[in-house]
Amino acid sequence: MDASDELIELEERGWIALSSGGRTAAEFYKTVLDAEVVMLLPGGTRLTDRTLTIEAMSGAPWSDFRLEVPQVLWPTAETGVITYGVTAHRDGQPEYSALVSTLYVRREDGWKVSFHQQTPRS
């Protein structure tokens, strides 16, 4: 598996964890978030505290999701930016659609999320 496939798989695993409910997502993000992280989420949410970001990941689970045309850009050999569209749904809520970007940095213990942004599509 090449590095681009690794990042796409990590991103899919994140959405799977977010769809599992309970503490599964928080446990996944404990392993994949970098020491310093910034997450820009819909509604003006900006998360910069690693512990609070992990806690936020254990919210209401997605019931289904679909990643659309994931692509990876390599600014350096040690940093990869994955971009894609996502369509997701939570039970009892309207469909969610966004453009997503996640910056991964290669560390000694593997790829870590340093930056993540979701921009809702109209």
Side-chain angles (χ1 to χ4, degrees):
M1 174 182 311
D2 73 10
S4 292
D5 291 338
E6 275 186 78
L7 295 189
I8 292 169
E9 181 183 316
L10 265 175
E11 199 73 5
E12 288 174 343
R13 286 178 47 210
W15 282 93
I16 290 167
L18 291 168
S19 299
S20 297
R23 300 290 304 164
T24 303
E27 291 302 316
F28 174 79
Y29 283 99
K30 278 183 189 177
T31 66
V32 78
L33 284 185
D34 209 357
E36 293 186 36
V37 64
V38 174
M39 288 203 171
L40 302 176
L41 302 172
T45 302
R46 181 176 182 262
L47 300 171
T48 59
D49 180 276
R50 186 178 190 279
T51 301
L52 293 177
T53 301
I54 291 167
E55 288 175 14
M57 297 300 111
S58 61
W62 296 103
S63 51
D64 59 76
F65 68 91
R66 182 179 71 254
L67 302 188
E68 303 154 0
V69 195
Q71 297 177 309
V72 181
L73 169 70
W74 293 99
T76 73
E78 305 301 317
T79 59
V81 180
I82 181 171
T83 62
Y84 57 94
V86 68
T87 302
H89 182 258
R90 285 188 170 115
D91 290 337
Q93 295 185 12
E95 183 176 82
Y96 174 71
S97 181
L99 297 176
V100 180
S101 62
T102 305
L103 171 69
Y104 285 88
V105 179
R106 190 187 323 255
R107 302 293 187 202
E108 288 181 12
D109 57 343
W111 290 106
K112 302 296 178 186
V113 172
S114 178
F115 177 83
H116 177 82
Q117 180 172 1
Q118 296 181 16
T119 304
R121 295 188 273 202
S122 303

